[in-house]
Amino acid sequence: MTMTMTTMMMTTMTERRRGVTARTRILAWILLLVTIAVVAIVAVTGRSLFSRADAQVGAELSHEADKFRASASKPDPSTGTEFFTVRELLTSHLQHNLAEDSEMFFSIVDGVADRRSGGDPAARLDQDSAFVRKAATVTTPTTGTLATDAGPVKYAVIPVSVEGDPATGQLVIAEFLAPEHDDALATIWIMSIVAIVSLLLAGVTGWFIAGRVLAPIRDVRLTAARITETDLGRRIDVVGNDDVAQLAVTFNGMLDRLETAFTGQRRFLDDAGHELRTPITVIRGHLDVMSDDPDDLEQTMRLVSDELERMTRLVDDLVMLARSERPDFLLVGPTDLTDLVIETFAKATALADRRWNIDETPEAFAIADEQRLTQALLQLASNAVSHTDEGDVITLGGRVAGDRVQLWVTDTGDGIAEEDHQRIFQRFARGSAETRRHGTGLGLAIVARIAEAHGGSVTIDSTPGKGATFMLDLPWTSPEEEQ
């Protein structure tokens, strides 16, 4: 008992570790997939935000350039006169167009940085001599990006000239990308933090959910591990009506069938052992006490031969029952039911001296195994002989009723008690009042298996003292329907 309990405890601990491993594996896959999805979403969103920031800066550059072109086509707002020099035009625009915190405007006249917009820009591009020299050479509107200590800057250079003024000039419009990029990065960080928190919550929630989902499956595994040939009574508690609950229901149903099969098998082996042990005991007992007297020898050999014949019949019946479980038990084909009843009647009349009759024959053909049906009817006839005496009537018959074929054997013998109607079809079963029969107790079980193999059943209509009627009730399939 101690070893059994220890083994069960070790099995339970092992199964629990397997359950934790399964939960961890499922959760890891779920988190991996969710993480990949979240990273992809954050990456795509970040790229979209940066692209939008660059697009907004580009739009702002175009807007400032349009504003300059509009102001250059109008008189000086301060004097109301036209501009006569490049310096006047650029200075007037810078005075009347204020730069935002993320912007910087300055002018270049004859290759030298001249004026710049007010405010405190993040970087002084007008003090970058290399950039000024490059911008001073621009003769057509140009845009570009420049790296500075304050981050990337997107700029536009617009060349300027005034008729009558030999000087050359450029207006430089600079938009700092850092503020826009910082806003995009802040959004990405917020999304990342939310994603990490969500993953943690999803992990914790998924751990508990995976445990609840896997619990019935773990119960199935534990129950299967604890089942032995001597303990098939364990079942899984079914909770809910989801797919996992239906799995538990199916598993319990399978256990029910297994328990029934094992119980029937043990009962069959016990009954078979008992039935085979009896003739062996009889033979051994008589051989042990057999003398040299010729009469005693003859009597003993006759008894041994009779017991061996009974054992042979018992083994043949057991083999028949075993074969009835195989798919090739029946060899079906077109069968003339009228000939079946008449030929079976002719064979049955040789079983014993009784008043044999045929009361009805089915005038039809059916798809069935003629030999098995003949065997079943002969077994029923033999059973009727065992329960009747000389002068009693045994009747065979058959009919087609709708889509059913009915074949029967009726006798006027001692009948069968109602409580035995189902039991006598079990292996090695006999009626409770049966005294005269010395068969194997397998005949009616074989009849039942033949009926079941045809998709039908065998029924009893009997009253003690007034005889019995055994009827094979089978589905009728005509050869025309089979085609």
Side-chain angles (χ1 to χ4, degrees), residues 174-217:
E175 297 283 346
F176 295 95
L177 295 173
E180 298 291 341
H181 286 184
D182 289 343
D183 290 343
L185 284 174
T187 303
I188 292 173
W189 274 112
I190 292 174
M191 291 183 62
S192 300
I193 293 172
V194 172
I196 292 172
V197 173
S198 299
L199 284 175
L200 292 176
L201 292 176
V204 174
T205 305
W207 177 264
F208 288 104
I209 292 177
R212 290 177 62 87
V213 171
L214 293 176
I217 299 176

Side-chain angles (χ1 to χ4, degrees), residues 49-70:
L49 290 174
F50 279 107
S51 298
R52 182 180 298 176
D54 293 342
Q56 288 177 347
V57 169
E60 189 63 27
L61 286 176
S62 298
H63 176 65
E64 293 296 334
D66 292 339
K67 286 170 61 176
F68 173 68
R69 294 188 184 95

Side-chain angles (χ1 to χ4, degrees), residues 8-9 80 128 135 163 210 216 242 295 354 357 367 453:
M8 292 180 62
M9 291 176 62
D128 187 339
E163 187 177 355
D242 55 7
D295 293 335
R354 300 290 188 270
N357 293 320
I367 298 298

Side-chain angles (χ1 to χ4, degrees), residues 44-102:
V44 171
T45 303
R47 185 170 183 177
S48 175
L49 290 174
F50 279 107
S51 298
R52 182 180 298 176
D54 293 342
Q56 288 177 347
V57 169
E60 189 63 27
L61 286 176
S62 298
H63 176 65
E64 293 296 334
D66 292 339
K67 286 170 61 176
F68 173 68
R69 294 188 184 95
S71 64
S73 63
K74 296 178 181 180
D76 186 345
S78 300
T79 62
T81 61
E82 295 183 358
F83 297 106
F84 295 102
T85 65
V86 171
R87 180 174 279 108
E88 289 178 354
L89 174 60
L90 291 174
T91 300
S92 175
H93 180 72
L94 293 175
Q95 289 176 343
H96 294 88
N97 187 31
L98 300 177
E100 297 181 0
D101 293 339
S102 60

Side-chain angles (χ1 to χ4, degrees), residues 148-189:
T148 68
D149 294 339
V153 177
K154 199 164 188 178
Y155 65 86
V157 180
I158 303 174
V160 180
S161 62
V162 175
E163 187 177 355
D165 184 7
T168 61
Q170 290 83 21
L171 175 66
V172 178
I173 306 169
E175 297 283 346
F176 295 95
L177 295 173
E180 298 291 341
H181 286 184
D182 289 343
D183 290 343
L185 284 174
T187 303
I188 292 173
W189 274 112

